[in-house]
């Protein structure tokens, strides 16, 4: 399957705002900054941007990370992917925004907390990831989404890299938009298969397939895209970064943009839903199952002990599944998520 839009070899020009533009000649990699907003003291906030323009016709691939500001793994994954590419050998081009929400990144938090605490009502919804295609005349989240979406719309396909927020850890998992979006969604599935993350969720309900989510709106606009979750919020781990680089490079190879052999995982799980398991008691969480393991109905996943050491709750799998997301914070209150299964 290669029904993605192909671009001829030509200079790639991106408008940065303020009359400035970024121009990447064929066979070059250039960095730039695109205007986002101005702070109260006049300080400009800008998106970092990397454009790699190849020397043969091919797709234009959008790669973004850290629309949630503490999700640093994706930033490292993209910097290593970009460093691994020789523009003189590339087919097509890459438009990369390694930090999709600079203000959230400054806060090292999922959200730009200073803006939200100052004016919570005006800044709601605060999660830019959920308000695509955005609005240039809206609040901060909507402006972020609108500026990113303007870049995404110019591309053939897109991957939006995430980790859970702090306290959660995902296997490398491609989470697709709803297949009801038609041919573009089927191409998003194809792209996820090219990545060979080892874990794919092709679901029809829940947050990840809701309208407003970045990859959902991109796919709805004809740009096949998915959400790629990997690792843990707030933490940079070399083995996680390497795994992410493997997956994105697999996609580049699958798209015919670079040459090489795709590196495949030992097993691959296709799932259709998530099942979040929440604590009813408070205490200390001890997870007993390895992340990525296949679990059976009734299998014990974790225990919660109170502060005196008494076991107050046992978290078990209500049905068979794959343990795709763990809770890494040990301090858990009733109602908080203890584990998430992917359901086949
Ligand atoms: Zn995220």
């Amino acid at each position: 399957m290669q029904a993605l839009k192909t671009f001829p070899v030509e200079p790639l020009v991106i408008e940065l705002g303020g009359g400035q533009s970024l121009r990447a000649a064929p066979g070059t990699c250039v960095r730039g900054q695109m205007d986002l907003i101005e702070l109260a003291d006049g300080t400009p906030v800008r998106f970092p941007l990397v454009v790699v323009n190849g020397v043969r016709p091919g797709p234009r691939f959008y790669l973004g990370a850290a629309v949630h500001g503490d999700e640093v793994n994706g930033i490292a994954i993209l910097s290593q992917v970009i460093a691994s590419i020789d523009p003189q050998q590339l087919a097509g081009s890459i438009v990369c925004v390694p930090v999709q929400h600079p203000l959230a990144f400054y806060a090292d938090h999922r959200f730009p907390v200073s803006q939200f605490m100052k004016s919570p009502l005006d800044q709601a919804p605060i999660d830019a990831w959920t308000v695509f295609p955005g609005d240039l005349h809206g609040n901060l989240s909507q402006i972020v989404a609108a500026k990113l979406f303007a870049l995404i719309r110019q591309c053939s396909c897109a991957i939006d890299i995430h980790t859970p927020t702090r306290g959660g850890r995902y296997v490398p998992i491609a989470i697709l938009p709803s297949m009801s979006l038609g041919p573009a969604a089927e191409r998003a599935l194809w792209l996820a298969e090219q990545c060979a993350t080892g874990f794919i969720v092709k679901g029809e309900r829940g947050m990840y397939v809701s309208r407003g989510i970045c990859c959902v709106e991109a796919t709805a606009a004809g740009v096949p895209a998915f959400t790629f979750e990997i690792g843990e919020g707030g933490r940079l781990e070399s083995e996680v970064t390497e795994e992410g680089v493997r997956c994105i490079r697999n996609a580049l190879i699958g798209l015919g943009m670079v040459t090489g052999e795709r590196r495949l995982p030992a097993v691959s799980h296709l799932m259709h839903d998530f099942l979040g398991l929440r604590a009813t008691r408070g205490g200390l969480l001890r997870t007993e199952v390895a992340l990525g393991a296949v679990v059976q109905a009734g299998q014990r996943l974790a225990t919660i002990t109170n502060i005196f050491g008494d076991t107050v709750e046992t978290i078990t799998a209500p049905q068979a599944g794959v343990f795709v997301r763990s809770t890494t914070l040990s301090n858990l209150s009733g109602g908080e998520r203890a584990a998430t299964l992917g359901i086949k």
Side-chain angles (χ1 to χ4, degrees):
M1 183 178 207
Q2 240 296 20
L4 296 174
K5 185 177 180 186
T6 295
F7 290 81
V9 178
E10 59 187 4
L12 205 169
V13 179
I14 291 179
E15 299 304 322
L16 300 175
Q20 304 291 309
S21 60
L22 184 72
R23 185 179 187 278
T28 66
C29 175
V30 296
R31 298 175 185 176
Q33 292 191 313
M34 192 173 76
D35 287 349
L36 172 54
I37 58 156
E38 185 180 63
L39 296 177
D41 65 352
T43 302
V45 179
R46 298 189 170 111
F47 296 105
L49 198 62
V50 186
V51 176
V52 192
N53 197 2
V55 293
R56 296 196 305 279
R60 185 174 296 167
F61 193 4
Y62 179 89
L63 294 167
V67 72
H68 297 134
D70 61 348
E71 300 180 357
V72 292
N73 267 314
I75 303 169
I77 290 167
L78 291 183
S79 67
Q80 290 191 24
V81 166
I82 296 295
S84 76
I85 293 169
D86 178 355
Q88 294 287 339
Q89 303 292 326
L90 182 71
S93 54
I94 295 169
V95 175
C96 175
V97 183
V99 177
Q100 294 182 112
H101 200 325
L103 274 173
F105 182 61
Y106 302 158
D108 193 16
H109 192 279
R110 182 178 181 88
F111 302 133
V113 278
S114 61
Q115 313 302 112
F116 188 63
M117 289 175 76
K118 187 174 69 174
S119 55
L121 193 61
D122 281 350
Q123 295 296 353
I126 192 62
D127 192 341
W129 179 54
T130 67
V131 298
F132 281 79
D135 178 359
L136 284 176
H137 305 289
N139 74 6
L140 172 64
S141 306
Q142 293 164 319
I143 296 169
V144 167
K147 298 224 169 187
L148 295 173
F149 205 66
L151 291 174
I152 293 170
R153 286 196 76 134
Q154 298 174 42
C155 295
S156 314
C157 57
I159 298 178
D160 179 28
I161 306 179
H162 291 248
T163 71
T165 200
R166 269 191 177 75
R169 187 177 184 88
Y170 256 122
V171 295
I173 189 167
I175 306 170
L176 292 157
S178 167
M179 289 300 117
S180 67
L181 294 175
E186 289 164 19
R187 291 187 190 110
L189 171 60
W190 175 86
L191 185 63
E193 290 168 343
Q194 297 310 301
C195 277
T197 59
F199 302 85
I200 295 178
V201 174
K202 192 175 79 163
E204 294 296 337
R205 61 176 187 165
M207 171 184 70
Y208 283 104
V209 297
S210 298
R211 292 310 295 249
I213 297 295
C214 176
C215 79
V216 173
E217 294 304 323
T219 304
V223 180
F226 65 87
T227 306
F228 179 29
E229 297 265 14
I230 180 168
E232 186 167 343
R235 296 186 63 194
L236 197 57
E237 300 160 275
S238 57
E239 65 274 20
V240 172
T241 306
E242 286 167 19
E243 183 66 358
V245 171
R246 177 188 70 79
C247 296
I248 302 297
R249 281 199 56 89
N250 278 346
L252 289 163
I253 294 166
L255 287 164
M257 297 175 70
V258 301
T259 56
E261 285 289 315
R262 286 165 61 235
R263 290 165 49 216
L264 305 180
V267 288
S268 200
H269 299 284
L270 177 62
M271 296 159 283
H272 293 92
D273 206 357
F274 286 109
L275 180 60
L277 305 175
R278 292 183 182 273
T280 61
R281 300 290 305 274
L284 303 180
L285 176 73
R286 287 181 176 82
T287 300
E288 300 182 358
V289 175
L291 193 62
V294 174
V295 300
Q296 304 306 318
Q299 185 173 339
R300 192 165 77 180
L301 304 176
T303 58
I304 298 170
T305 56
N306 67 16
I307 57 169
F308 302 107
D310 308 324
T311 300
V312 292
E313 186 169 10
T314 301
I315 307 290
T316 56
Q319 62 186 102
V322 183
F323 184 33
V324 294
R325 185 190 191 278
S326 64
T327 296
T328 55
L329 289 179
S330 306
N331 172 332
L332 219 60
S333 304
E336 289 191 291
R337 184 156 39 153
T340 301
L341 301 180
I343 305 300
K344 292 194 176 183

